[in-house]
Amino acid sequence: MLSPLFIDTFLLDYHLGHVILLGFIVSLLGAAPLKSQRVIASVFGGFGLIFLVAPYTTMPKTYVLIGIPLILIGALLWTMADS
């Protein structure tokens, strides 16, 4: 069994931006087998919104700025998706 001190020292190297980015990648991998452009677009747009509304004090500003292109990519993918 792992000691709480080991887990704490491991987690100190990461911040909220890393967690949201990991969730974004896992969501894209989970949505890929569906082969739906609208689902992929909603993942992009949703995580772009999450990056923008996340507290900027818990992660670097570059992670907050990642949200703007993700929302734009999501909107473009949504409009280009087949009905």
Side-chain angles (χ1 to χ4, degrees):
M1 180 160 192
L2 294 173
S3 69
L5 183 61
F6 176 76
I7 296 170
D8 188 40
T9 56
F10 175 75
L11 291 177
L12 281 176
D13 295 333
Y14 301 104
H15 52 75
L16 183 62
H18 291 123
V19 174
I20 297 173
L21 192 60
L22 178 68
F24 173 66
I25 292 169
V26 169
S27 296
L28 277 179
L29 290 175
L34 298 175
K35 296 180 182 166
S36 171
Q37 291 177 343
R38 295 217 173 179
V39 172
I40 300 290
S42 63
V43 168
F44 269 92
F47 273 95
L49 188 64
I50 290 172
F51 270 115
L52 281 179
V53 299
Y56 63 91
T57 57
T58 60
M59 58 186 177
K61 291 180 182 20
T62 55
Y63 285 94
V64 176
L65 293 176
I66 287 174
I68 297 170
L70 284 179
I71 289 176
L72 292 174
I73 291 169
L76 287 172
L77 287 175
W78 186 273
T79 56
M80 293 186 326
D82 296 331
S83 297

